mmCIF file of all heavy atoms in Angstrom:
data_model
loop_
_atom_site.group_PDB
_atom_site.id
_atom_site.type_symbol
_atom_site.label_atom_id
_atom_site.label_comp_id
_atom_site.label_asym_id
_atom_site.label_seq_id
_atom_site.Cartn_x
_atom_site.Cartn_y
_atom_site.Cartn_z
ATOM 1 N N TRP A 11 -50.043 -0.728 36.264
ATOM 2 C CA TRP A 11 -49.198 0.023 35.325
ATOM 3 C C TRP A 11 -48.895 1.410 35.862
ATOM 4 O O TRP A 11 -47.761 1.890 35.783
ATOM 5 C CB TRP A 11 -49.925 0.117 33.986
ATOM 6 C CG TRP A 11 -49.251 1.040 33.008
ATOM 7 C CD1 TRP A 11 -48.207 0.765 32.187
ATOM 8 C CD2 TRP A 11 -49.609 2.416 32.755
ATOM 9 N NE1 TRP A 11 -47.874 1.864 31.440
ATOM 10 C CE2 TRP A 11 -48.713 2.905 31.772
ATOM 11 C CE3 TRP A 11 -50.591 3.261 33.268
ATOM 12 C CZ2 TRP A 11 -48.784 4.205 31.288
ATOM 13 C CZ3 TRP A 11 -50.658 4.560 32.786
ATOM 14 C CH2 TRP A 11 -49.760 5.031 31.802
ATOM 15 N N LEU A 12 -49.910 2.082 36.428
ATOM 16 C CA LEU A 12 -49.725 3.418 36.976
ATOM 17 C C LEU A 12 -48.744 3.386 38.139
ATOM 18 O O LEU A 12 -47.903 4.293 38.290
ATOM 19 C CB LEU A 12 -51.077 3.971 37.437
ATOM 20 C CG LEU A 12 -51.103 5.450 37.820
ATOM 21 C CD1 LEU A 12 -50.756 6.326 36.617
ATOM 22 C CD2 LEU A 12 -52.472 5.832 38.377
ATOM 23 N N ASN A 13 -48.793 2.342 38.958
ATOM 24 C CA ASN A 13 -47.890 2.217 40.096
ATOM 25 C C ASN A 13 -46.454 1.997 39.626
ATOM 26 O O ASN A 13 -45.498 2.531 40.213
ATOM 27 C CB ASN A 13 -48.334 1.062 40.992
ATOM 28 C CG ASN A 13 -47.451 0.930 42.225
ATOM 29 O OD1 ASN A 13 -47.339 1.858 43.024
ATOM 30 N ND2 ASN A 13 -46.824 -0.230 42.378
ATOM 31 N N ARG A 14 -46.294 1.220 38.557
ATOM 32 C CA ARG A 14 -44.939 1.000 38.019
ATOM 33 C C ARG A 14 -44.361 2.278 37.449
ATOM 34 O O ARG A 14 -43.161 2.518 37.535
ATOM 35 C CB ARG A 14 -44.973 -0.087 36.935
ATOM 36 C CG ARG A 14 -45.171 -1.496 37.460
ATOM 37 C CD ARG A 14 -44.781 -2.533 36.406
ATOM 38 N NE ARG A 14 -45.559 -2.398 35.186
ATOM 39 C CZ ARG A 14 -46.719 -3.016 34.966
ATOM 40 N NH1 ARG A 14 -47.226 -3.821 35.909
ATOM 41 N NH2 ARG A 14 -47.362 -2.853 33.833
ATOM 42 N N ARG A 15 -45.196 3.116 36.846
ATOM 43 C CA ARG A 15 -44.723 4.383 36.292
ATOM 44 C C ARG A 15 -44.242 5.318 37.379
ATOM 45 O O ARG A 15 -43.241 6.017 37.222
ATOM 46 C CB ARG A 15 -45.837 5.057 35.485
ATOM 47 C CG ARG A 15 -46.211 4.362 34.198
ATOM 48 C CD ARG A 15 -45.081 4.435 33.164
ATOM 49 N NE ARG A 15 -44.764 5.810 32.821
ATOM 50 C CZ ARG A 15 -45.370 6.502 31.859
ATOM 51 N NH1 ARG A 15 -46.331 5.922 31.134
ATOM 52 N NH2 ARG A 15 -45.027 7.737 31.607
ATOM 53 N N SER A 16 -44.946 5.376 38.492
ATOM 54 C CA SER A 16 -44.589 6.291 39.580
ATOM 55 C C SER A 16 -43.549 5.695 40.522
ATOM 56 O O SER A 16 -42.832 6.430 41.207
ATOM 57 C CB SER A 16 -45.844 6.686 40.366
ATOM 58 O OG SER A 16 -46.497 5.534 40.864
ATOM 59 N N ASN A 17 -43.455 4.373 40.569
ATOM 60 C CA ASN A 17 -42.481 3.711 41.436
ATOM 61 C C ASN A 17 -41.732 2.621 40.643
ATOM 62 O O ASN A 17 -42.006 1.428 40.812
ATOM 63 C CB ASN A 17 -43.181 3.077 42.652
ATOM 64 C CG ASN A 17 -43.898 4.097 43.502
ATOM 65 O OD1 ASN A 17 -43.283 4.901 44.196
ATOM 66 N ND2 ASN A 17 -45.228 4.065 43.437
ATOM 67 N N PRO A 18 -40.833 3.036 39.748
ATOM 68 C CA PRO A 18 -40.138 2.046 38.910
ATOM 69 C C PRO A 18 -39.254 1.129 39.754
ATOM 70 O O PRO A 18 -38.694 1.537 40.772
ATOM 71 C CB PRO A 18 -39.299 2.913 37.966
ATOM 72 C CG PRO A 18 -39.110 4.198 38.695
ATOM 73 C CD PRO A 18 -40.364 4.401 39.490
ATOM 74 N N SER A 19 -39.133 -0.107 39.306
ATOM 75 C CA SER A 19 -38.266 -1.068 39.995
ATOM 76 C C SER A 19 -36.804 -0.744 39.700
ATOM 77 O O SER A 19 -36.489 0.039 38.797
ATOM 78 C CB SER A 19 -38.583 -2.488 39.518
ATOM 79 O OG SER A 19 -38.251 -2.631 38.148
ATOM 80 N N GLN A 20 -35.905 -1.359 40.476
ATOM 81 C CA GLN A 20 -34.478 -1.136 40.265
ATOM 82 C C GLN A 20 -34.054 -1.608 38.871
ATOM 83 O O GLN A 20 -33.181 -1.005 38.236
ATOM 84 C CB GLN A 20 -33.673 -1.886 41.337
ATOM 85 C CG GLN A 20 -32.183 -1.565 41.326
ATOM 86 C CD GLN A 20 -31.912 -0.093 41.581
ATOM 87 O OE1 GLN A 20 -32.497 0.525 42.473
ATOM 88 N NE2 GLN A 20 -31.037 0.494 40.776
ATOM 89 N N ARG A 21 -34.681 -2.664 38.400
ATOM 90 C CA ARG A 21 -34.377 -3.173 37.055
ATOM 91 C C ARG A 21 -34.710 -2.140 35.995
ATOM 92 O O ARG A 21 -33.931 -1.923 35.051
ATOM 93 C CB ARG A 21 -35.155 -4.461 36.821
ATOM 94 C CG ARG A 21 -34.912 -5.098 35.466
ATOM 95 C CD ARG A 21 -35.725 -6.362 35.321
ATOM 96 N NE ARG A 21 -35.515 -6.992 34.027
ATOM 97 C CZ ARG A 21 -36.117 -8.088 33.630
ATOM 98 N NH1 ARG A 21 -36.979 -8.699 34.452
ATOM 99 N NH2 ARG A 21 -35.877 -8.591 32.442
ATOM 100 N N GLU A 22 -35.852 -1.484 36.130
ATOM 101 C CA GLU A 22 -36.249 -0.468 35.168
ATOM 102 C C GLU A 22 -35.358 0.758 35.255
ATOM 103 O O GLU A 22 -35.032 1.385 34.247
ATOM 104 C CB GLU A 22 -37.710 -0.089 35.387
ATOM 105 C CG GLU A 22 -38.684 -1.206 35.028
ATOM 106 C CD GLU A 22 -40.106 -0.864 35.410
ATOM 107 O OE1 GLU A 22 -40.276 -0.148 36.426
ATOM 108 O OE2 GLU A 22 -41.032 -1.306 34.723
ATOM 109 N N ILE A 23 -34.949 1.098 36.477
ATOM 110 C CA ILE A 23 -34.036 2.234 36.653
ATOM 111 C C ILE A 23 -32.699 1.946 35.969
ATOM 112 O O ILE A 23 -32.130 2.806 35.283
ATOM 113 C CB ILE A 23 -33.829 2.524 38.155
ATOM 114 C CG1 ILE A 23 -35.129 3.037 38.774
ATOM 115 C CG2 ILE A 23 -32.710 3.531 38.357
ATOM 116 C CD1 ILE A 23 -35.070 3.194 40.277
ATOM 117 N N ASN A 24 -32.191 0.713 36.141
ATOM 118 C CA ASN A 24 -30.920 0.330 35.512
ATOM 119 C C ASN A 24 -31.038 0.339 33.987
ATOM 120 O O ASN A 24 -30.104 0.743 33.288
ATOM 121 C CB ASN A 24 -30.493 -1.057 35.988
ATOM 122 C CG ASN A 24 -30.126 -1.069 37.474
ATOM 123 O OD1 ASN A 24 -29.826 -0.026 38.050
ATOM 124 N ND2 ASN A 24 -30.156 -2.237 38.079
ATOM 125 N N ARG A 25 -32.188 -0.105 33.488
ATOM 126 C CA ARG A 25 -32.387 -0.117 32.040
ATOM 127 C C ARG A 25 -32.429 1.299 31.485
ATOM 128 O O ARG A 25 -31.873 1.581 30.412
ATOM 129 C CB ARG A 25 -33.669 -0.861 31.690
ATOM 130 C CG ARG A 25 -33.887 -1.002 30.189
ATOM 131 C CD ARG A 25 -35.075 -1.883 29.873
ATOM 132 N NE ARG A 25 -36.298 -1.344 30.436
ATOM 133 C CZ ARG A 25 -37.474 -1.950 30.366
ATOM 134 N NH1 ARG A 25 -37.572 -3.132 29.774
ATOM 135 N NH2 ARG A 25 -38.546 -1.408 30.899
ATOM 136 N N MET A 26 -33.078 2.208 32.212
ATOM 137 C CA MET A 26 -33.114 3.599 31.756
ATOM 138 C C MET A 26 -31.721 4.213 31.741
ATOM 139 O O MET A 26 -31.363 4.953 30.826
ATOM 140 C CB MET A 26 -34.044 4.416 32.665
ATOM 141 C CG MET A 26 -35.523 4.053 32.526
ATOM 142 S SD MET A 26 -36.566 4.911 33.745
ATOM 143 C CE MET A 26 -36.226 6.614 33.347
ATOM 144 N N ALA A 27 -30.906 3.875 32.755
ATOM 145 C CA ALA A 27 -29.534 4.382 32.806
ATOM 146 C C ALA A 27 -28.717 3.829 31.636
ATOM 147 O O ALA A 27 -27.924 4.553 31.011
ATOM 148 C CB ALA A 27 -28.884 4.000 34.135
ATOM 149 N N ALA A 28 -28.906 2.534 31.337
ATOM 150 C CA ALA A 28 -28.193 1.927 30.210
ATOM 151 C C ALA A 28 -28.619 2.572 28.893
ATOM 152 O O ALA A 28 -27.779 2.842 28.019
ATOM 153 C CB ALA A 28 -28.452 0.420 30.184
ATOM 154 N N CYS A 29 -29.888 2.843 28.741
ATOM 155 C CA CYS A 29 -30.379 3.489 27.528
ATOM 156 C C CYS A 29 -29.750 4.867 27.350
ATOM 157 O O CYS A 29 -29.360 5.251 26.230
ATOM 158 C CB CYS A 29 -31.903 3.622 27.574
ATOM 159 S SG CYS A 29 -32.802 2.068 27.346
ATOM 160 N N ASN A 30 -29.630 5.599 28.448
ATOM 161 C CA ASN A 30 -29.021 6.928 28.376
ATOM 162 C C ASN A 30 -27.553 6.835 27.975
ATOM 163 O O ASN A 30 -27.060 7.641 27.170
ATOM 164 C CB ASN A 30 -29.150 7.641 29.723
ATOM 165 C CG ASN A 30 -30.583 8.036 30.039
ATOM 166 O OD1 ASN A 30 -31.385 8.227 29.136
ATOM 167 N ND2 ASN A 30 -30.896 8.148 31.313
ATOM 168 N N GLU A 31 -26.832 5.841 28.546
ATOM 169 C CA GLU A 31 -25.412 5.679 28.220
ATOM 170 C C GLU A 31 -25.222 5.307 26.756
ATOM 171 O O GLU A 31 -24.386 5.894 26.062
ATOM 172 C CB GLU A 31 -24.780 4.611 29.116
ATOM 173 C CG GLU A 31 -24.469 5.082 30.514
ATOM 174 C CD GLU A 31 -23.662 4.075 31.300
ATOM 175 O OE1 GLU A 31 -23.980 2.874 31.222
ATOM 176 O OE2 GLU A 31 -22.717 4.482 31.999
ATOM 177 N N PHE A 32 -25.969 4.342 26.272
ATOM 178 C CA PHE A 32 -25.806 3.906 24.887
ATOM 179 C C PHE A 32 -26.242 4.986 23.905
ATOM 180 O O PHE A 32 -25.633 5.142 22.834
ATOM 181 C CB PHE A 32 -26.576 2.605 24.641
ATOM 182 C CG PHE A 32 -25.825 1.377 25.072
ATOM 183 C CD1 PHE A 32 -25.984 0.860 26.349
ATOM 184 C CD2 PHE A 32 -24.932 0.752 24.217
ATOM 185 C CE1 PHE A 32 -25.288 -0.262 26.761
ATOM 186 C CE2 PHE A 32 -24.227 -0.375 24.608
ATOM 187 C CZ PHE A 32 -24.397 -0.891 25.889
ATOM 188 N N SER A 33 -27.262 5.751 24.249
ATOM 189 C CA SER A 33 -27.675 6.863 23.387
ATOM 190 C C SER A 33 -26.581 7.916 23.306
ATOM 191 O O SER A 33 -26.265 8.436 22.221
ATOM 192 C CB SER A 33 -28.962 7.498 23.917
ATOM 193 O OG SER A 33 -30.046 6.602 23.851
ATOM 194 N N LEU A 34 -25.966 8.215 24.447
ATOM 195 C CA LEU A 34 -24.899 9.205 24.497
ATOM 196 C C LEU A 34 -23.702 8.774 23.663
ATOM 197 O O LEU A 34 -23.158 9.553 22.866
ATOM 198 C CB LEU A 34 -24.479 9.436 25.955
ATOM 199 C CG LEU A 34 -23.316 10.401 26.188
ATOM 200 C CD1 LEU A 34 -23.711 11.810 25.763
ATOM 201 C CD2 LEU A 34 -22.907 10.402 27.669
ATOM 202 N N TYR A 35 -23.289 7.513 23.818
ATOM 203 C CA TYR A 35 -22.107 7.036 23.100
ATOM 204 C C TYR A 35 -22.392 6.830 21.613
ATOM 205 O O TYR A 35 -21.494 6.993 20.777
ATOM 206 C CB TYR A 35 -21.578 5.751 23.739
ATOM 207 C CG TYR A 35 -20.618 6.036 24.868
ATOM 208 C CD1 TYR A 35 -21.075 6.426 26.125
ATOM 209 C CD2 TYR A 35 -19.249 5.952 24.671
ATOM 210 C CE1 TYR A 35 -20.202 6.715 27.149
ATOM 211 C CE2 TYR A 35 -18.355 6.236 25.689
ATOM 212 C CZ TYR A 35 -18.838 6.619 26.929
ATOM 213 O OH TYR A 35 -17.955 6.914 27.942
ATOM 214 N N HIS A 36 -23.625 6.463 21.269
ATOM 215 C CA HIS A 36 -23.959 6.351 19.850
ATOM 216 C C HIS A 36 -23.946 7.718 19.179
ATOM 217 O O HIS A 36 -23.502 7.845 18.022
ATOM 218 C CB HIS A 36 -25.342 5.717 19.686
ATOM 219 C CG HIS A 36 -25.812 5.689 18.258
ATOM 220 N ND1 HIS A 36 -25.203 4.923 17.282
ATOM 221 C CD2 HIS A 36 -26.828 6.356 17.639
ATOM 222 C CE1 HIS A 36 -25.822 5.112 16.129
ATOM 223 N NE2 HIS A 36 -26.803 5.975 16.315
ATOM 224 N N ASP A 37 -24.409 8.733 19.864
ATOM 225 C CA ASP A 37 -24.358 10.087 19.309
ATOM 226 C C ASP A 37 -22.917 10.537 19.080
ATOM 227 O O ASP A 37 -22.630 11.279 18.131
ATOM 228 C CB ASP A 37 -25.067 11.069 20.251
ATOM 229 C CG ASP A 37 -26.569 10.857 20.294
ATOM 230 O OD1 ASP A 37 -27.096 10.212 19.364
ATOM 231 O OD2 ASP A 37 -27.209 11.307 21.264
ATOM 232 N N LYS A 38 -22.016 10.080 19.956
ATOM 233 C CA LYS A 38 -20.608 10.489 19.852
ATOM 234 C C LYS A 38 -19.843 9.638 18.852
ATOM 235 O O LYS A 38 -18.962 10.131 18.143
ATOM 236 C CB LYS A 38 -19.951 10.400 21.231
ATOM 237 C CG LYS A 38 -18.564 11.031 21.298
ATOM 238 C CD LYS A 38 -18.045 11.046 22.727
ATOM 239 C CE LYS A 38 -16.682 11.726 22.802
ATOM 240 N NZ LYS A 38 -16.160 11.732 24.178
ATOM 241 N N TYR A 39 -20.158 8.335 18.782
ATOM 242 C CA TYR A 39 -19.456 7.409 17.879
ATOM 243 C C TYR A 39 -20.477 6.653 17.022
ATOM 244 O O TYR A 39 -20.671 5.444 17.191
ATOM 245 C CB TYR A 39 -18.611 6.419 18.678
ATOM 246 C CG TYR A 39 -17.630 7.053 19.637
ATOM 247 C CD1 TYR A 39 -17.865 7.038 21.011
ATOM 248 C CD2 TYR A 39 -16.474 7.671 19.167
ATOM 249 C CE1 TYR A 39 -16.969 7.626 21.895
ATOM 250 C CE2 TYR A 39 -15.570 8.261 20.044
ATOM 251 C CZ TYR A 39 -15.829 8.233 21.408
ATOM 252 O OH TYR A 39 -14.939 8.806 22.273
#
Side-chain angles (χ1 to χ4, degrees):
W11 171 83
L12 190 63
N13 182 59
R14 287 197 301 270
R15 291 292 299 272
S16 57
N17 299 289
S19 65
Q20 188 61 45
R21 181 180 180 181
E22 291 173 328
I23 293 173
N24 293 339
R25 184 173 60 183
M26 291 174 59
C29 287
N30 290 334
E31 282 189 317
F32 277 92
S33 295
L34 177 65
Y35 273 78
H36 174 67
D37 291 342
K38 190 174 182 181
Y39 305 106

